[in-house]
Amino acid sequence: MGPRLPGGTGAGRTEEFEDLRPLLFSIAYRILGSVSEAEDAVQETWLRYQTSSTQPRSLKAFLSATVTRISIDTLRSARVQREEYVGHWFPEPLLTDPYEDPARSAELADSLSMAALLLLERLSPLERAVFVLREVFLFGFPEIASAVGRSEAACRQLAVRARRHMDEGRPRFEADLQERQELAGRFFDALKEGDVEGLRELLAADVQLIGDDGGKVPMLAKVVTGGDTVARLLATILPMLMRVDVTVEPHQVNGQPGAIFRDRDDKVLNTWALDVLDGQIQTIRSVSNPDKLGHLGPVADAWAVNREANRARRSAD
C-alpha cells in the first residue's frame, strides 16, 4: 500500500486520513484497475486534504468524493492508452484488498475479480464511479452526486444504466470461497505433477487461458481454448519451467483463487487468477506484463527464464 503519509498538519489529521486510506484505495482501484494509479489518486487526495483550510463535516464523504473525482479524471486520460494496448488488457493484479467488511467479504471479493473489473471497463468513467460507490460501497445518492458533480436524479439514471450493463455479463462464481480454494489446490497439484487427466477433470470443456503480456514478454499464445488443449499445454509447460526452478505459489489474486509464479531468485514472473464455477475452472487469466507486476516485488526477466527453459527442454530431448 506504500508508505504512510507525513503528518504536516498535525498527527490528528494524519491519523484520521490513515484510518480511511484502505477505503480510498479500494474505491480508486475498482475505478481504475491499477494499483499504481490508485495509490497516486490516494496520495493526491491527501495533498488536497492537507492543504484544505476547513475541516469537512463528514471526512469520509469528503475524501471519498475527492478520490473519486481524481480517479475519474485519471481514467479518462488512460482510456486512449488502453484502447491502443497490445493484446488483452487486464487490471494490475491485487493480492490483498486493504478494505475489509466482514459482513460483506464475499461481495467485496467478487467485485474485485478480474472478470468484474473487465466488465467495469465497458462503462463510461462516470457510470463506473457511480456503480462502484453505490453497488460496492453502498454510498447514498446525495454523497454520490457530490462526488461526481451530477444531480441525484442523474446519478440514479447512471446507476440504473451501469447496473443493467453489469447484470448482462455479471460473472458468476462458486458461492463458497473455500470450495474454490480447494479446487484450485487440486489444480495446482495436478499442474506441478504434469497430470493431464487430473487437469482435464478440473477444467471446463470451453475453458480459456488468456494472457496479458503487453507485448513485452514471451507468450505462447494470446488465447488458448478447450479443456483438452489447455490441459496438455499446461502439463507440458510447467514441468519445463520447474526444471529451471520456477515456483508456483498459490495465492488469492483479486479476491479469487490464483497463484504467483517466481523465478529461482524469488522474482515475480507472472500471476494467474482463476474463475471457478460449477466445480470447474472456466477461465485462467495470466498477467505477465512486467509493468503491471512491480508492486508485487522485484520482477523476473521473463526472456531469460524462457531461454533457459528452452535450453533445458532441448537437453532433456
Side-chain angles (χ1 to χ4, degrees):
M1 281 298 302
R4 290 175 70 86
L5 299 170
T9 57
R13 179 171 274 212
T14 305
E15 186 175 345
E16 289 175 337
F17 184 91
E18 291 296 336
D19 287 344
L20 288 165
R21 173 190 280 272
L23 171 64
L24 302 179
F25 174 86
S26 295
I27 290 171
Y29 177 78
R30 284 169 172 82
I31 294 174
L32 292 166
S34 165
V35 172
S36 55
E37 290 175 352
E39 288 178 339
D40 288 346
V42 174
Q43 175 73 9
E44 178 63 25
T45 299
W46 161 252
L47 294 175
R48 294 188 188 184
Y49 176 50
Q50 187 184 40
T51 56
S52 172
S53 59
T54 59
Q55 181 68 20
R57 191 178 340 179
S58 168
L59 185 59
K60 176 184 174 183
F62 172 79
L63 294 177
S64 298
T66 302
V67 82
T68 297
R69 286 193 290 269
I70 293 169
S71 298
I72 289 171
D73 290 343
T74 302
L75 183 60
R76 284 172 172 155
S77 64
R79 290 226 130 178
V80 173
Q81 291 178 326
R82 294 186 187 182
E83 288 169 1
E84 297 174 349
Y85 192 80
V86 176
H88 294 276
W89 182 94
F90 290 160
E92 291 181 9
L94 185 67
L95 302 186
T96 304
D97 186 359
Y99 177 75
E100 296 180 354
D101 181 349
R104 302 181 61 243
S105 58
E107 296 169 66
L108 289 170
D110 287 350
S111 74
L112 196 66
S113 71
M114 290 275 183
L117 293 176
L118 287 169
L119 274 179
L120 283 171
E121 281 289 305
R122 302 178 185 179
L123 306 182
S124 72
L126 273 180
E127 289 172 339
R128 185 165 181 160
V130 169
F131 183 88
V132 167
L133 292 177
R134 180 63 181 170
E135 300 295 327
V136 180
F137 295 101
L138 308 181
F139 278 72
F141 280 108
E143 295 169 299
I144 296 171
S146 174
V148 302
R150 296 290 189 275
S151 67
E152 287 186 43
C155 288
R156 290 179 188 277
Q157 290 180 335
L158 286 166
V160 168
R161 209 158 50 228
R163 194 182 305 117
R164 184 171 63 248
H165 287 310
M166 292 296 288
D167 285 345
E168 287 171 358
R170 185 181 294 277
R172 294 163 54 230
F173 302 107
E174 294 286 3
D176 192 313
L177 180 57
Q178 184 62 36
E179 291 180 11
R180 283 182 255 172
Q181 297 287 16
E182 289 174 358
L183 186 145
R186 298 198 303 275
F187 169 76
F188 286 116
D189 286 343
L191 189 63
K192 293 173 186 176
E193 294 166 7
D195 179 1
V196 176
E197 196 55 45
L199 289 170
R200 191 184 289 117
E201 289 177 2
L202 297 169
L203 297 172
D206 58 349
V207 64
Q208 286 192 321
L209 170 62
I210 311 173
D212 172 353
D213 65 341
K216 298 187 176 184
V217 295
M219 283 283 288
L220 295 168
K222 299 298 182 185
V223 182
V224 182
T225 303
D228 186 65
T229 304
V230 172
R232 290 184 181 281
L233 178 66
L234 296 182
T236 301
I237 296 303
L238 193 72
M240 186 172 73
L241 291 174
M242 291 175 70
R243 288 193 202 112
V244 295
D245 301 323
V246 169
T247 57
V248 183
E249 175 188 319
H251 202 294
Q252 275 201 14
V253 177
N254 285 79
Q256 306 302 316
I260 306 169
F261 289 68
R262 299 182 184 274
D263 72 1
R264 62 163 53 95
D265 298 318
D266 206 36
K267 294 180 178 179
V268 179
L269 190 61
N270 68 350
T271 64
W272 281 7
L274 312 180
D275 289 352
V276 178
L277 179 66
D278 298 331
Q280 291 185 308
I281 294 167
Q282 309 290 325
T283 311
I284 304 169
R285 291 187 178 87
S286 168
V287 177
S288 56
N289 182 344
D291 296 342
K292 296 186 175 185
L293 301 174
H295 62 285
L296 303 179
V299 179
D301 182 343
W303 290 103
V305 171
N306 187 62
R307 286 193 298 270
E308 189 176 1
N310 282 325
R311 282 198 298 269
R313 177 180 57 79
R314 287 193 295 269
S315 297
D317 293 343

